[in-house]
Amino acid sequence: MSRRQQNENKFGNWQNLPAGGRRYWYELAGRNGWKARYVKETDAADQTLRFCQEIFDSAGNLVEVHEKFPVDKGHRKV
């Protein structure tokens, strides 16, 4: 199975990017109506360029981002 097929199966959602890469994501429901979205951005060969976690409040507003790759920058309030 190709890397692209693995990402499609794992994430289930993706958007094609202008340079041939993709932005994959999946969402998990959290407590009190909040949710987390895991986002992976890849190049045309599906090599990971960026991986992060986005946290949304119950109103759907982005409140926090945790960039994990290429460098773990920890949680950052938006």
Side-chain angles (χ1 to χ4, degrees):
M1 180 180 293
S2 75
R3 207 172 300 176
R4 183 158 278 194
Q5 289 172 318
Q6 288 176 346
N7 284 329
E8 289 174 356
N9 289 338
K10 180 177 181 178
F11 289 91
N13 301 292
W14 62 87
Q15 175 184 24
N16 293 322
L17 299 175
R22 282 191 169 174
R23 181 177 195 257
Y24 298 96
W25 72 92
Y26 68 92
E27 295 178 356
L28 297 172
R31 298 181 204 156
N32 304 320
W34 289 45
K35 70 178 176 182
R37 177 184 296 157
Y38 291 89
V39 179
K40 179 178 184 177
E41 293 179 2
T42 64
D43 61 13
D46 249 34
Q47 296 288 327
T48 304
L49 301 175
R50 180 176 179 257
F51 185 79
C52 71
Q53 176 188 37
E54 300 174 338
I55 306 296
F56 295 86
D57 65 14
S58 57
N61 300 312
L62 179 65
V63 294
E64 196 170 292
V65 175
H66 180 179
E67 189 163 340
K68 300 173 182 256
F69 183 86
V71 175
D72 190 339
K73 297 181 180 178
H75 290 271
R76 178 179 52 86
K77 303 272 185 204
V78 177

